[in-house]
Amino acid sequence: MSQQDTINYDAVLSKFREDPFAYVDINAMHTGHIRFHVREGDKVEGLTGDFRHIKGTLLCELTRERNQKPIHCTTNGEVSFVNKVLDGQFVQAGEKIMTIRHPLKKREIIEQILRDVLVPFAAPEKAKYYFAMDIQNRIEKFGQRSVSVKAGDEVFTMSLMKRDTPVYYTGEAGIIHSVYFKPGQSMELGEPLVGVCPPEKVAVVEKIITRVKAEWE
Amino acid sequence: MQEIRKRLTKIEERLNYISQVKGSEKWGNVDSVLQRFVAVRDAIFDISTDKMATKIHTLEDEISFLEERAEESLTGMDRVRIVRSPLRFSLKDILENVYDDYTELGGEEEASIDASMVCAKATVSAKIKGKTVTQQVMVIGHEKGHGEEYRNGGCSKPWGNEKALRFMMVAQTEGIPIHAYIFTPGSFPVEEYPGAGQQIARNIYAMTKLEVPIISIISEGGSGGAEAIGCSDYRLMFSHGYYSVISPEGGAAIEGKVREGQKIPMEMVESCAERLKITATDNLRLKTIDRIVEEPLLGAKRDAYEFFKRVKYEMIRATDEVVLKTKSLRAFRNYEMKLNRSRKELGDDAHIDVSWELNRDEMARLLEMRSKKYRAMGCEGICAKGSFLGRLASRVKEKSSKYFYNIRYDMLHSHQKQVKQVMHDVTSESAVVIKQVAGPLASVFDFFTRRQESPALLVGGEDLNREQVYDNTYTSPLANEDRTVTCPNSERLGCKDLWVPDLYGQFGGVCENCGHHFPLEYQWYLKHLFDRDSIREFNSKLLARNPLNSPDFEKRLKVAIKKTGRRSSMITFDARVRGVEVVVAMLYSNFRNGTVGSTEGEKFVQAAERARMMRRPLLSYVHTTGGIRIQEGTLGVTQMPKCTMAVREYVDAGGLYVVVYDNNSYAGPVASFLGCSYYQFAIRSSRIGFAGPRVIRDTTGVDIPPDYHSARNALKRGHIQGIWDRREFRTNLHKSLMTMGGKSLYYR
């Protein structure tokens, strides 16, 4: 572990500490006349319900060819910016119309940091995945973070059309830090299956997670 | 002292019960009596036993007086509260006290596939001419007490109703009567296989022709859940029970348009309970039940042993009466039974000697009586508009058609069939001979003339491959707007906005990217599904009414009549689909959201009878149905068994019954005459189910996924046999008629 890494992660942490928000821009999906339903500073709700099927707060309506399209909020937070001059005006597709300031949760911060740090291994096909027998035994015996993998290791068994195919790891060597799938669950092509952490970064990652857990409410 | 304590406990129990039934301690002077009771109870060690006994006696007299007053002023909602009281008797009490012995079948207590449905083989004995005669019965009913935590309040799950059906079949195999006890606020509204609605439909369908006497008795009859075991030869009802199309709370929420999560005002619920006519007296007047079994003051409780004796007598008597009606030799026993009916005191000799075993002829008579009973049921709310002469003419026409079709199909058609068979054999034989002789010459002739094959033609002479042309026949008025609409799947599947004239014109209301079907008016189907000018409507003069005189409903009906230009939510007509003659019953959304009342039920039954008479396939196209019309109360509920009976008789006679669901189809009709069809299909993007999301959330406490009722999920659960594209409806329907109906369509 180099001193440089530590400093970088400190910077990342302080960045989140200074501004623990994500800024979600809302853009016009196509041209039309826009009418706002929220103002700056309003609290907004994202998708809710057990199946995320209840729509969030109505932000604005875009009317094109007498077709009123409501734009609902997809994340909770506060309206931090509204391009007020556009209210009642014709907007172009893709034009930024407002920004939602979303307070990051502990889990979201950790996920964002890990995404920068860990090496993801993506599903090569849409299929069901299982850990290879050897890996599974080691995980059961020692826990997943004690299992290291390197390029060429047989890590998964891909079950597709009743055929089991071994999947070999490609990428930087390290330990399996995060598992993003459940054995037997169908995964889409390109979805990350595991996040691998190079050995020299393990201590830093653990330290960051501990600090985030301790410091964020 | 112990005796005094017991009496005090009893007084407290009685006072609490009165306030519970009346919904408040403030009713009468319950609260002041309660205060006096507390004072007496607290002074138990301060005054002498004699004085205490006198005070208790005074309190008891006051409470008896209160109970009598409460009984006199019982409202509909009071009866609902009586039925829901944990002190009320339940099925297990009946099994213990009415029957000699019983063995629970299909599980016991919580170790059961559904503990809210209890099935038991029981023996019941009666003293006849000094001898004890014991007979076997199958007891099937809902249980809501004795283990309340797993009984689910008597709400049977679909698999519970399936269990009931299984043991009804056992009763049929063994030839023993069924005693059905209805103690349910409604069915548990889940769609998981076998599905609440579909299983109720299967139960009713099977019960319509179950070859054993069925006696049912209602304590709490909540709509579809009650009908799942309630289609019987004799329908009894406890005097303090209720039988309703919907719970008063549910009815009030619908009528008062109360939003989810908001509290429904108690006055609204009370008045809804009155309007729904849910009491035993109301139901007897509406002829939805046959007899009332009297209960003690403010309803029977678990220790009402004299009442259980009465129940036993009534159940045996009802079974005797049903069985006796099937016997040829019954005059004196009938007379004796009539004499007994008026007796209030039950002696040991109250029963007469009737064996419950039926032979084939008696079974046939039993089924015929059941059929007639349900055919006549719920006719209170029907009114045919038209003159006396017009009605007479239509009766004459109906009778003459009946004779015509009987002669045509039963007499001539069978001879014609035989002659055809003989002719077919003769021509086949001669063809072989001719082919051997003329074959070589014909092939030489064909080679030189190059004769071409003519295209295949269908019944009615229509070309099989001819495409249906939409745009030159009828265009939806929805297409007259110059605007675009967004497909609901646009975010997920990237559908582009659709220009309305294109969507409702050329595309037939279907998103060209994902195939989502936007709702279209029912007239579109009338124009595109059937052959041009082939529709001949019948019974159009039957008028939807307000049989329970619900306030304001008359006005709402008039609005619907004015809006649609029709008199009910069901259209029945003869039509042709590519030359195939069909009888169609169509429920459509514009008239009271396609709800079914007595008029719609009668129209459906007459359509089924017509299809049977004319030997034509019967199509039920459901543009939309919101269920049974709640303003008609139990008259609406009885349309479920009535219409299912008509379907069963039509199918048993050899008819082909096809159901196609579109848009939204929910509740009673799906749980009866629609869900019982062997051939059910759905148009894409439609929703089919028993209860809507809000009712499911309220009942089960669990939220459901947004696509829970989708046609695709209904297909996955096995409720329907296929999903059709609206643009291929005509082709698919014709194909179904041909493949499932066979060559002669009337396939047996």
Side-chain angles (χ1 to χ4, degrees):
Chain A
M1 181 173 57
S2 66
Q3 185 63 25
Q4 187 62 43
D5 286 337
T6 317
I7 293 164
N8 284 345
Y9 294 129
D10 275 344
V12 169
L13 276 177
S14 61
K15 187 188 89 182
F16 282 114
R17 198 170 298 122
E18 279 165 20
D19 188 15
F21 297 100
Y23 293 86
V24 183
D25 287 340
I26 310 290
N27 301 320
M29 75 276 265
H30 56 60
T31 56
H33 285 90
I34 197 156
R35 181 72 61 191
F36 291 110
H37 285 260
V38 287
R39 287 176 295 185
E40 276 181 13
D42 282 357
K43 299 269 182 227
V44 288
E45 283 296 324
L47 296 168
T48 49
D50 291 351
F51 305 93
R52 317 259 309 145
H53 61 288
I54 302 168
K55 285 177 180 169
T57 314
L58 178 64
L59 299 175
C60 55
E61 271 182 327
L62 199 59
T63 308
R64 185 179 68 171
E65 290 168 341
R66 297 172 61 214
N67 179 17
Q68 285 191 334
K69 280 198 186 187
I71 299 174
H72 293 271
C73 196
T74 51
T75 182
N76 67 318
E78 189 184 298
V79 181
S80 63
F81 163 75
V82 176
N83 199 346
K84 285 175 221 149
V85 288
L86 296 177
D87 198 12
Q89 301 298 311
F90 186 82
V91 294
Q92 293 293 336
E95 196 164 347
K96 182 175 160 182
I97 48 182
M98 66 173 74
T99 304
I100 308 295
R101 194 169 69 155
H102 165 66
L104 289 168
K105 289 180 192 136
K106 207 184 282 184
R107 180 180 49 81
E108 287 169 324
I109 293 171
I110 293 171
E111 270 173 17
Q112 277 205 14
I113 295 171
L114 288 180
R115 208 171 294 141
D116 296 338
V117 180
L118 300 179
V119 181
F121 183 79
E125 295 277 352
K126 182 187 175 178
K128 290 176 181 173
Y129 290 88
Y130 303 88
F131 277 115
M133 289 294 281
D134 180 37
I135 301 279
Q136 184 67 41
N137 289 340
R138 277 155 60 193
I139 289 174
E140 280 170 13
K141 211 168 183 178
F142 307 110
Q144 70 184 40
R145 292 192 185 166
S146 312
V147 180
S148 57
V149 290
K150 60 179 189 303
D153 283 356
E154 185 189 331
V155 186
F156 303 106
T157 302
M158 180 174 75
S159 181
L160 182 64
M161 300 295 285
K162 294 185 179 175
R163 253 181 263 168
D164 290 345
T165 316
V167 177
Y168 300 99
Y169 180 69
T170 51
E172 207 176 333
I175 61 146
I176 297 174
H177 191 279
S178 303
V179 178
Y180 304 121
F181 77 104
K182 282 181 187 160
Q185 178 194 354
S186 182
M187 298 292 283
E188 291 292 331
L189 166 73
E191 270 190 83
L193 296 172
V194 290
V196 175
C197 183
E200 65 277 9
K201 288 184 180 173
V202 173
V204 183
V205 168
E206 293 299 327
K207 197 175 160 190
I208 289 170
I209 291 172
T210 316
R211 280 176 63 181
V212 171
K213 280 182 179 171
E215 289 173 22
W216 260 271
E217 284 180 3
Chain B
M1 185 59 84
Q2 203 166 353
E3 179 63 27
I4 285 174
R5 273 180 197 281
K6 265 188 190 171
R7 286 172 71 184
L8 282 171
T9 314
K10 192 75 188 165
I11 287 172
E12 191 175 15
E13 195 183 274
R14 284 168 72 186
L15 277 171
N16 285 338
Y17 186 68
I18 295 171
S19 51
Q20 194 190 339
V21 166
K22 286 301 193 183
S24 164
E25 280 183 10
K26 291 198 172 72
W27 181 85
N29 58 349
V30 175
D31 45 356
S32 71
V33 179
L34 200 61
Q35 276 171 9
R36 280 207 298 283
F37 160 75
V38 172
V40 172
R41 190 188 58 190
D42 292 347
I44 189 166
F45 299 111
D46 301 337
I47 51 177
S48 67
T49 316
D50 289 346
K51 267 191 176 176
M52 180 58 84
T54 318
K55 279 180 184 288
I56 288 175
H57 189 72
T58 317
L59 274 174
E60 281 172 343
D61 281 351
E62 274 186 66
I63 292 167
S64 297
F65 178 69
L66 268 179
E67 281 174 344
E68 276 168 27
R69 268 185 58 207
E71 175 73 28
E72 281 163 15
S73 62
L74 275 184
T75 63
M77 199 56 207
D78 292 342
R79 285 168 202 275
V80 174
R81 282 189 283 260
I82 287 175
V83 162
R84 288 177 186 170
S85 166
L87 300 175
R88 190 168 173 80
F89 67 96
S90 68
L91 180 56
K92 282 269 171 148
D93 302 306
I94 287 175
L95 278 167
E96 293 286 350
N97 295 296
V98 170
Y99 297 93
D100 304 342
D101 203 0
Y102 71 94
T103 305
E104 198 173 332
L105 305 167
E108 256 182 86
E109 309 298 328
E110 70 265 53
S112 169
I113 190 158
D114 183 8
S116 64
M117 178 65 78
V118 169
C119 303
K121 186 93 176 276
T123 50
V124 63
S125 57
K127 251 194 179 159
I128 299 160
K129 291 180 234 156
K131 279 184 190 169
T132 305
V133 177
T134 305
Q135 306 210 63
Q136 281 190 326
V137 289
M138 183 68 79
V139 177
I140 293 172
H142 307 98
E143 175 58 67
K144 55 194 296 179
H146 299 280
E148 288 83 350
E149 63 280 6
Y150 54 80
R151 297 290 188 188
N152 214 3
C155 294
S156 274
K157 292 180 176 159
W159 34 97
N161 284 330
E162 192 273 335
K163 177 171 88 171
L165 179 60
R166 196 153 30 99
F167 288 106
M168 282 178 206
M169 291 303 175
V170 173
Q172 181 175 249
T173 308
E174 297 178 358
I176 56 171
I178 295 170
H179 285 180
Y181 291 89
I182 299 164
F183 287 88
T184 184
S187 194
F188 198 72
V190 289
E191 294 299 328
E192 278 69 32
Y193 189 83
Q198 301 275 325
Q199 187 57 46
I200 293 172
R202 270 177 228 135
N203 278 31
I204 301 174
Y205 187 79
M207 289 177 90
T208 53
K209 295 292 166 193
L210 208 67
E211 292 173 337
V212 286
I214 311 169
I215 314 300
S216 67
I217 186 158
I218 301 169
S219 169
E220 185 175 17
S223 194
E227 292 307 322
I229 57 167
C231 178
S232 54
D233 300 296
Y234 205 90
R235 290 158 74 104
L236 293 157
M237 186 166 170
F238 293 117
S239 61
H240 289 66
Y242 82 86
Y243 176 35
S244 175
V245 63
I246 190 170
S247 69
E249 292 89 344
I254 293 172
E255 289 207 319
K257 293 187 177 143
V258 179
R259 289 181 133 199
E260 191 171 359
Q262 280 182 345
K263 202 173 181 313
I264 311 162
M266 202 55 217
E267 306 79 60
M268 205 186 264
V269 179
E270 294 266 2
S271 69
C272 188
E274 289 306 312
R275 279 201 305 276
L276 287 172
K277 309 284 180 213
I278 59 178
T279 65
T281 324
D282 290 331
N283 277 294
L284 190 67
R285 189 173 46 79
L286 294 170
K287 295 177 189 159
T288 53
I289 56 164
D290 298 303
R291 191 171 156 83
I292 298 173
V293 177
E294 288 301 330
E295 290 183 55
L297 280 184
L298 298 183
K301 300 192 193 91
R302 289 181 172 177
D303 52 359
Y305 300 110
E306 202 54 39
F307 164 72
F308 291 128
K309 205 175 154 191
R310 178 96 218 169
V311 174
K312 180 179 176 179
Y313 167 75
E314 291 285 353
M315 290 307 276
I316 294 174
R317 200 192 69 83
T319 318
D320 285 346
E321 195 174 322
V322 169
V323 172
L324 206 57
K325 275 183 188 164
T326 66
K327 308 272 179 194
S328 316
L329 198 63
R330 60 172 190 265
F332 291 109
R333 286 181 291 180
N334 251 352
Y335 178 69
E336 177 77 10
M337 194 168 275
K338 268 182 195 163
L339 283 182
N340 283 348
R341 198 179 289 171
S342 52
R343 286 165 59 169
K344 284 197 173 170
E345 291 298 315
L346 306 174
D348 283 345
D349 58 341
H351 297 289
I352 49 168
D353 190 8
V354 181
S355 165
W356 292 348
E357 279 177 27
L358 302 179
N359 61 32
R360 296 303 318 169
D361 291 342
E362 288 162 355
M363 270 178 207
R365 233 170 279 150
L366 177 79
L367 297 185
E368 199 186 322
M369 284 190 309
R370 199 181 296 160
S371 169
K372 278 184 184 161
K373 179 186 178 72
Y374 280 94
R375 182 68 188 82
M377 209 177 264
C379 286
E380 302 292 299
I382 302 164
C383 169
K385 268 211 164 176
S387 63
F388 170 75
L389 281 176
R391 286 206 300 275
L392 187 73
S394 91
R395 293 278 293 176
V396 170
K397 196 178 162 191
E398 195 183 299
K399 285 274 174 203
S400 53
S401 303
K402 201 173 178 182
Y403 288 122
F404 168 74
Y405 284 105
N406 275 347
I407 293 166
R408 182 173 162 185
Y409 287 101
D410 292 348
M411 293 168 71
L412 297 180
H413 193 65
S414 57
H415 292 298
Q416 191 190 1
K417 245 179 158 181
Q418 284 172 12
V419 172
K420 256 189 177 174
Q421 190 67 43
V422 173
M423 287 304 290
H424 181 258
D425 289 345
V426 171
T427 46
S428 302
E429 285 294 316
S430 51
V432 172
V433 177
I434 292 166
K435 194 182 169 192
Q436 292 293 334
V437 177
L441 293 172
S443 55
V444 170
F445 181 75
D446 284 351
F447 179 77
F448 284 109
T449 57
R450 290 175 190 273
R451 199 171 58 189
Q452 284 184 345
E453 295 264 325
S454 59
L457 288 176
L458 260 185
V459 182
E462 197 177 341
D463 189 351
L464 246 182
N465 303 317
R466 207 178 85 191
E467 287 296 315
Q468 173 72 15
V469 180
Y470 293 105
D471 50 0
N472 64 356
T473 50
Y474 171 84
T475 306
S476 168
L478 294 168
N480 296 334
E481 271 188 288
D482 178 22
R483 68 184 191 97
T484 60
V485 287
T486 309
C487 175
N489 298 325
S490 63
E491 270 181 39
R492 204 161 43 89
L493 301 170
C495 308
K496 300 264 191 308
D497 279 6
L498 295 144
W499 191 46
V500 162
D502 273 352
L503 174 66
Y504 292 112
Q506 190 187 349
F507 303 156
V510 178
C511 172
E512 57 173 350
N513 182 52
C514 70
H516 173 78
H517 282 41
F518 288 80
L520 274 178
E521 68 282 358
Y522 74 94
Q523 289 91 341
W524 190 93
Y525 294 91
L526 291 178
K527 296 288 178 184
H528 288 104
L529 187 56
F530 306 105
D531 294 356
R532 194 171 292 175
D533 301 326
S534 70
I535 293 174
R536 299 281 177 274
E537 200 174 336
F538 56 88
N539 281 338
S540 60
K541 286 183 178 164
L542 281 178
L543 179 72
R545 284 178 63 210
N546 179 19
L548 304 187
N549 296 321
S550 287
D552 294 338
F553 188 59
E554 201 78 47
K555 213 189 288 173
R556 285 190 243 168
L557 272 178
K558 277 183 184 156
V559 170
I561 291 167
K562 198 176 171 192
K563 188 175 89 177
T564 58
R566 296 190 176 277
R567 293 194 172 105
S568 70
S569 70
M570 182 172 276
I571 313 170
T572 48
F573 53 90
D574 299 322
R576 279 195 311 276
V577 180
R578 289 189 165 174
V580 180
E581 306 263 14
V582 287
V583 175
V584 186
M586 184 185 208
L587 281 165
Y588 66 103
S589 61
N590 309 41
F591 195 103
R592 306 292 313 154
N593 199 27
T595 47
V596 173
S598 320
T599 307
E600 287 76 10
E602 180 64 24
K603 283 183 91 168
F604 180 84
V605 171
Q606 289 194 21
E609 285 171 352
R610 188 179 175 88
R612 188 179 166 188
M613 180 182 74
M614 297 167 92
R615 272 73 171 172
R616 285 181 187 170
L618 175 65
L619 167 70
S620 262
Y621 168 66
V622 188
H623 182 252
T624 278
T625 181
I628 299 294
R629 191 169 296 148
I630 60 169
Q631 289 82 1
E632 292 204 16
T634 45
L635 283 178
V637 181
T638 49
Q639 302 309 313
M640 291 170 69
K642 178 179 171 173
C643 295
T644 312
M645 179 72 81
V647 169
R648 177 72 191 254
E649 286 177 354
Y650 169 69
V651 172
D652 283 356
L656 170 67
Y657 178 50
V658 179
V659 173
V660 183
Y661 300 105
D662 201 351
N663 301 314
N664 297 304
S665 308
Y666 286 108
V670 177
S672 56
F673 63 94
L674 300 174
C676 70
S677 168
Y678 300 139
Y679 307 113
Q680 298 175 61
F681 298 90
I683 300 296
R684 231 174 128 170
S685 308
S686 58
R687 284 168 292 274
I688 305 136
F690 180 61
R694 179 177 170 176
V695 176
I696 296 177
R697 274 194 293 272
D698 285 351
T699 317
T700 66
V702 180
D703 207 354
I704 52 160
D707 64 343
Y708 190 64
H709 291 115
S710 70
R712 187 162 172 74
N713 277 329
L715 187 65
K716 279 184 187 171
R717 294 177 190 123
H719 297 170
I720 55 171
Q721 278 71 50
I723 299 174
W724 292 346
D725 191 301
R726 178 188 290 149
R727 295 161 299 182
E728 289 159 9
F729 191 176
R730 185 174 151 88
T731 312
N732 283 325
L733 179 63
H734 180 260
K735 188 180 152 197
S736 298
L737 291 172
M738 296 309 289
T739 53
M740 289 175 303
K743 196 181 166 192
S744 59
L745 284 170
Y746 206 72
Y747 51 83
R748 264 174 286 159

